Amino acid sequence: MTDEELKELIESVSLNAFGKPFIHMARFNKRLRTTGGRYMLTNHSIEINPLVLEVHGTEELVGVIKHELCHYHLHIEGRGYRHRDADFKSLLKHTSSPRFCRPLSKGNKKLHSMYVYECLSCKLLYNRRRRMDVRKYRCGKCAGQIVAIQAGK
């Protein structure tokens, strides 16, 4: 989907769900990491994370668009557009918009440590994400020598 197609989708969702036109810019922004989209207060544009479409599909994309349009229309009208405002919460409910975006991670974040070290004396294991210089450090439990048993992947 291109930015032009995204803008057309946002315009149609705005007319169908809110009965009001969307007349500003809309685009995909690959740099968004933790959010599905954002409404820019300064220029009234909407940016959408392309991962929403890739990971969750069109239905979730429409939900994120509705959420951002709630910010857009309330801000234009001078009403409470923030997440904590009653106007915002009631408009979300009225338009069946989601309050939060579903998680966007594709599982590319490693949950386990990359480096494993062991004390030669007491056999205590140290799990680390960053490499450490074993010549500079000793075991915190028994002051024994530490050796690397699993190098980074």
Side-chain angles (χ1 to χ4, degrees):
M1 179 180 276
T2 65
D3 287 347
E4 291 79 25
E5 293 170 333
L6 175 68
K7 184 169 179 3
E8 290 173 11
L9 179 62
I10 291 176
E11 289 170 351
S12 68
V13 169
S14 181
L15 286 174
N16 293 339
F18 297 88
K20 300 171 187 170
F22 175 77
I23 57 172
H24 290 89
M25 288 186 51
R27 67 183 186 101
F28 283 110
N29 185 348
K30 290 184 237 178
R31 292 184 311 256
L32 295 177
R33 294 280 178 225
T34 60
T35 183
R38 69 177 170 188
Y39 165 64
M40 306 296 286
L41 294 172
T42 54
N43 60 3
H44 306 293
S45 66
I46 292 179
E47 295 180 345
I48 302 292
N49 189 337
L51 282 179
V52 173
L53 184 60
E54 291 174 25
V55 175
H56 299 300
T58 311
E59 187 176 329
E60 183 72 16
L61 176 66
V62 170
V64 170
I65 289 171
K66 282 178 162 181
H67 179 98
E68 299 309 324
L69 283 171
C70 287
H71 289 296
Y72 172 79
H73 289 300
L74 289 171
H75 183 250
I76 297 279
E77 294 169 4
R79 296 167 53 201
Y81 60 89
R82 294 184 177 106
H83 287 113
R84 65 176 179 251
D85 294 331
D87 288 337
F88 181 75
K89 289 178 184 176
S90 67
L91 188 58
L92 281 178
K93 196 174 201 178
H94 178 72
T95 58
S96 304
S97 304
R99 181 118 159 92
F100 302 105
C101 178
R102 287 171 38 196
L104 295 171
S105 65
K106 284 181 148 180
N108 52 359
K109 201 172 191 182
K110 293 181 181 172
L111 298 176
H112 62 284
S113 63
M114 295 176 61
Y115 298 94
V116 180
Y117 299 92
E118 182 181 32
C119 173
L120 291 177
S121 302
C122 67
K123 305 297 182 195
L124 182 65
L125 293 176
Y126 293 91
N127 298 313
R128 298 287 180 265
R129 289 191 183 271
R130 293 186 180 192
R131 189 176 58 187
M132 64 184 234
D133 187 358
V134 293
R135 296 172 295 173
K136 291 184 179 180
Y137 298 98
R138 305 293 282 193
C139 177
K141 183 177 176 185
C142 69
Q145 183 182 357
I146 297 174
V147 295
I149 59 170
Q150 181 180 343
K153 295 177 183 173

